[in-house]
Amino acid sequence: MGAKNRKQAAGKTPATDRERSPLVPPHGKSNVRRPGRESKAFHGAHPNGLSSVKQRLGLTPSSLLKLSSLLFLAGLSGYLHWFHLSRLFENDRHFSHLSNLEKEMAFRTEMGLYYSYYKTIIEAPTFLEGLHMIMNDRLTEHPLVINTLKRFNLYPEVVLASWYRMYTSTMGYFGIPTKMCWSINRGEGLSPVDSCEGLGDPAYFYVTCVFLLNGVMMSLFFIYGAYLSGSRLGGIVTTLLFFFNHGESTRVMWTPPLRESFAYPFLVLQMLLLTYILRPSRTALVALGISNLCFMLPWQFAQFVLLTQVKECDMKDITLGVCFLLMFGNSMLLTSFYASSLISIWVKKAAALFAHALFAFMCIAAGFCPTSRSHHAAEALPDASHVHHGVTALLQTGLPLLSLKKITLRKSDIALSDEAVLTLHLSSCQLFGWIGERLKHQSVVLAVIAMMAVQGVANLQAQWAIIGEFSNLPQEELLDWIQENTRPDSVFAGAMPTMASVKLSTGRPIVNHPHYEDAGLRERTKLVYSMYSRMSGETVKKNLMKLGVDYFILEDSWCTRRTRPGCSMPEIWDIEDPQNVGKIPLCTHMSRSSRPYFTTVFSNDIYKVLKVPKDHR
């Protein structure tokens, strides 16, 4: 890449459960103070002092030190993960040297679609006007008007756009610069481009927030591992194993705008809270509900993950309902297996309540009622316990940990699997204390980690060795041509990934896009992709005219690309359109000459723009 030219400038006591892990509450202790102790404790320290805080939290100096060190290590883990993600992303794309257009093109396929709504809100005159624009969108599925908040899980973009507007307006009010811009000499006879760095740049702000959120995720993973194992060593093991298997654990460093980039951290928080409420409490249940909501709102597939941990907990019913309302009645939420499983639980609850009421009525009618003892025995049956209680437990990996935590499981428990786990178990002193004293035990754990680090470090080195530089001159030429030679209301159709870039960078209406979860969108895309079938030019022209398309972007690779026998687009169409098998694909004809059905108005090595005639009838 060319050079940058700056434009602007005492004795030991036995360790208790709480001392081993400040996250684990003590067992068998009462919170009720004995008479005479309360006044003595109160007068021993100022009510606003540090000792009062420690007293209220029940922390000894030793446990306070351990809690502080745990939080420090969790924060360090989060920082290292944020730094790791940022460097991988920069190394892969050379993002700091890209122009605004190149940064947008780097967000391919549905990433560009999601980012376009963030761009819409930050470029609108006001935040509310931008919000209204994406809730009454006329560009994404022309000529339809759709509520994209309902369709595309866009609350992350709404939140980030509001933060960006607040940040830039605040910095502007105080006269604090938010970005540094440079002139980039691209060489090869290409014109220089401007490139900006800093949180004042929309794309930089966006990816920085994504990576910071995933840094917090790593901190949560550390706390999760420490909580499950009962030691800080367990948190360290969890963090190391995540890094050692980073390429298989996440793809956020390559695809920041994807929905799981926002949802995954809240899944980790949700699993941590779910494990914590094995000892149920109202506060933990509310926190679980909030984490469920934050997990479901950004990602359309979150419901399938939650399906693996369905439990009889009203909080999940509530969060599904709240998410349904915030998504403006998104039907995908109610037609999922997750919703149906909750409904089946509701039916089971209702049946159990009805049976209980019927039994009580029969008792009264017969002139007798169950004794207190028999009533409690009835409540202990599985069906009765379903009405009041439900606990989700960890299976396979979690069962040893549950014995570690001295938690009793009920028959109604449903399992949720966990990761990184055998080594995490090994770090538990209570499970593997037979190895020997603490130093020996830790040495064994470190030896196992050292053996795993051989391949783990090799995996990290392979990631660090990825050095790239984003460049897509053919698409840049296409987008520049569209901006300069078509009307703002010109309608485009073509391959789904390209359509996302067209909408993002040119603001032109499109008829199809990469978010493929909608049946209507799939039908529209099928009409568009008839260009790659063996149908007649007249039939395909009518399909495009039916959608109101003005320009079709033809990519020859979609016509000729064949990953394996029978998998090229024309061959796939042969299954759908058997009457035309054997004919030359229309896209082959179009690559030679677009007449008489269309007119070629732009062409380069990759793209050809075909003008669709207007229907004058």
Side-chain angles (χ1 to χ4, degrees):
M1 184 61 74
K4 282 188 173 183
N5 300 313
R6 183 170 179 177
K7 272 196 166 183
Q8 73 178 68
K12 293 186 178 179
T13 58
T16 64
D17 282 343
R18 180 176 292 275
E19 290 173 329
R20 292 191 200 99
S21 174
L23 294 177
V24 181
H27 297 287
K29 286 192 175 181
S30 171
N31 291 326
V32 181
R33 292 192 179 97
R34 288 182 292 178
R37 289 289 183 95
E38 183 172 354
S39 58
K40 182 177 180 180
F42 178 82
H43 291 296
H46 192 277
N48 294 324
L50 178 61
S51 58
S52 177
V53 175
K54 290 190 293 185
Q55 176 188 342
R56 292 184 181 184
L57 294 177
L59 296 176
T60 65
S62 174
S63 60
L64 182 62
L65 179 62
K66 290 183 178 180
L67 177 60
S68 300
S69 64
L70 182 140
L71 294 178
F72 170 78
L73 291 173
L76 179 62
S77 300
Y79 170 79
L80 291 175
H81 194 228
W82 165 78
F83 181 80
H84 183 63
L85 295 174
S86 301
R87 296 318 303 169
L88 289 178
F89 183 71
E90 171 65 21
N91 290 345
D92 180 56
R93 287 174 170 80
H94 213 183
F95 202 67
S96 60
H97 284 63
L98 300 183
S99 66
N100 288 335
L101 178 59
E102 289 172 321
K103 289 174 183 175
E104 292 177 355
M105 289 192 299
F107 297 140
R108 287 185 51 77
T109 65
E110 58 185 308
M111 295 188 289
L113 185 70
Y114 298 136
Y115 184 83
S116 70
Y117 302 109
Y118 164 81
K119 180 181 177 181
T120 296
I121 297 177
I122 65 175
E123 291 183 350
T126 66
F127 171 77
L128 291 179
E129 288 184 61
L131 189 62
H132 180 268
M133 290 170 67
I134 69 169
M135 292 176 65
N136 299 271
D137 181 85
R138 300 175 180 272
L139 302 179
T140 307
E141 294 182 9
H142 179 85
L144 303 179
V145 179
I146 63 172
N147 182 350
T148 58
L149 271 184
K150 176 181 179 180
R151 287 279 299 278
F152 302 142
N153 300 82
L154 293 178
Y155 277 97
E157 279 67 32
V158 172
V159 172
L160 291 185
S162 66
W163 289 355
Y164 177 82
R165 295 183 70 110
M166 288 188 291
Y167 171 76
T168 53
S169 61
T170 301
M171 296 296 102
Y173 177 81
F174 290 105
I176 302 175
T178 59
K179 60 183 178 181
M180 190 73 70
C181 294
W182 314 82
S183 178
I184 306 298
N185 179 13
R186 299 191 291 176
E188 300 179 5
L190 299 174
S191 59
V193 296
D194 289 341
S195 178
C196 296
E197 301 176 68
L199 293 179
D201 179 76
Y204 249 89
F205 185 91
Y206 187 96
V207 298
T208 298
C209 288
V210 174
F211 294 154
L212 284 172
L213 177 62
N214 282 265
V216 173
M217 179 199 72
M218 195 70 260
S219 297
L220 291 173
F221 259 129
F222 181 92
I223 296 173
Y224 193 23
Y227 179 75
L228 286 176
S229 66
S231 71
R232 288 158 294 180
L233 183 59
I236 295 173
V237 169
T238 303
T239 301
L240 287 176
L241 294 184
F242 191 95
F243 273 102
F244 290 165
N245 301 277
H246 197 267
E248 288 73 38
S249 302
T250 182
R251 56 175 176 171
V252 64
M253 57 284 191
W254 317 130
T255 57
L258 289 187
R259 301 300 82 188
E260 65 262 30
S261 300
F262 296 97
Y264 193 10
F266 293 103
L267 174 61
V268 180
L269 174 62
Q270 189 259 7
M271 291 191 300
L272 173 60
L273 293 170
L274 196 59
T275 307
Y276 176 74
I277 64 167
L278 289 170
R279 301 180 185 86
S281 71
R282 185 182 301 274
T283 302
L285 285 174
V286 172
L288 176 67
I290 295 173
S291 66
N292 282 344
L293 184 63
C294 293
F295 175 52
M296 293 177 69
L297 278 178
W299 195 23
Q300 69 270 32
F301 301 127
Q303 53 195 292
F304 302 112
V305 176
L306 293 178
L307 178 63
T308 66
Q309 48 175 258
V310 168
K311 59 188 285 293
E312 297 167 43
C313 170
D314 291 335
M315 189 55 65
K316 288 203 170 188
D317 307 342
I318 294 171
T319 53
L320 178 65
V322 173
C323 189
F324 178 75
L325 292 176
L326 291 177
M327 293 289 293
F328 299 90
N330 187 304
S331 60
M332 189 177 176
L333 290 172
L334 295 188
T335 57
S336 65
F337 285 117
Y338 178 58
S340 63
S341 65
L342 290 180
I343 292 174
S344 67
I345 290 176
W346 296 338
V347 172
K348 189 174 182 180
K349 285 183 179 181
L353 287 173
F354 176 77
H356 190 74
L358 181 62
F359 176 71
F361 174 77
M362 292 173 64
C363 288
I364 295 173
F368 73 92
C369 289
T371 63
S372 174
R373 180 177 179 181
S374 63
H375 176 70
H376 287 302
E379 282 191 342
L381 297 169
D383 286 342
S385 65
H386 282 257
V387 179
H388 302 287
H389 302 288
V391 181
T392 299
L394 303 176
L395 186 63
Q396 300 171 347
T397 65
L399 290 177
L401 291 174
L402 293 174
S403 64
L404 162 64
K405 300 299 184 185
K406 301 181 177 65
I407 297 172
T408 302
L409 297 179
R410 286 179 277 271
K411 293 181 181 179
S412 60
D413 295 343
I414 298 175
L416 169 69
S417 63
D418 193 17
E419 63 256 341
V421 175
L422 291 178
T423 309
L424 182 61
H425 287 184
L426 185 61
S427 65
S428 169
C429 292
Q430 288 164 293
L431 287 179
F432 290 90
W434 52 267
I435 293 177
E437 61 188 36
R438 184 175 182 181
L439 183 59
K440 291 182 179 179
H441 174 232
Q442 292 180 347
S443 299
V444 171
V445 176
L446 293 176
V448 173
I449 294 175
M451 289 187 291
M452 301 182 70
V454 175
Q455 183 60 46
V457 172
N459 293 341
L460 286 173
Q461 289 175 335
Q463 281 194 322
W464 297 332
I466 298 175
I467 304 296
E469 183 174 334
F470 179 83
S471 180
N472 192 340
L473 292 177
Q475 189 176 87
E476 185 176 341
E477 292 174 356
L478 170 69
L479 298 175
D480 285 338
W481 181 89
I482 292 174
Q483 284 276 41
E484 298 170 3
N485 297 276
T486 65
R487 293 164 50 90
D489 59 353
S490 297
V491 182
F492 284 79
M496 292 184 292
T498 305
M499 289 302 96
S501 296
V502 169
K503 180 190 180 298
L504 168 60
S505 299
T506 71
R508 299 312 193 256
I510 57 177
V511 299
N512 63 312
H513 54 77
H515 198 280
Y516 211 54
E517 282 76 39
D518 181 72
L521 189 275
R522 291 195 291 271
E523 287 301 316
R524 295 162 71 87
T525 301
K526 184 177 178 181
L527 291 177
V528 171
Y529 281 15
S530 63
M531 178 67 75
Y532 300 103
S533 71
R534 306 180 196 271
M535 298 179 185
S536 67
E538 185 66 29
T539 301
V540 174
K541 182 181 75 171
K542 289 180 179 178
N543 287 342
L544 296 177
M545 293 172 65
K546 185 191 304 184
L547 295 173
V549 174
D550 295 312
Y551 297 95
F552 183 93
I553 300 178
L554 179 68
E555 299 178 51
D556 190 55
S557 62
W558 281 69
C559 190
T560 58
R561 182 172 51 197
R562 191 185 193 209
T563 55
R564 64 187 68 173
C567 287
S568 67
M569 286 292 288
E571 289 172 323
I572 293 172
W573 265 107
D574 287 343
I575 302 173
E576 184 72 24
D577 184 34
Q579 62 268 28
N580 288 312
V581 172
K583 296 181 180 179
I584 298 176
L586 178 63
C587 53
T588 301
H589 286 299
M590 293 298 101
S591 63
R592 299 169 184 167
S593 174
S594 58
R595 294 191 179 277
Y597 306 106
F598 307 98
T599 304
T600 301
V601 292
F602 171 83
S603 179
N604 63 20
D605 295 339
I606 303 296
Y607 304 98
K608 178 178 286 190
V609 179
L610 309 181
K611 184 173 177 58
V612 181
K614 292 289 186 181
D615 187 358
H616 298 292
R617 291 179 296 174

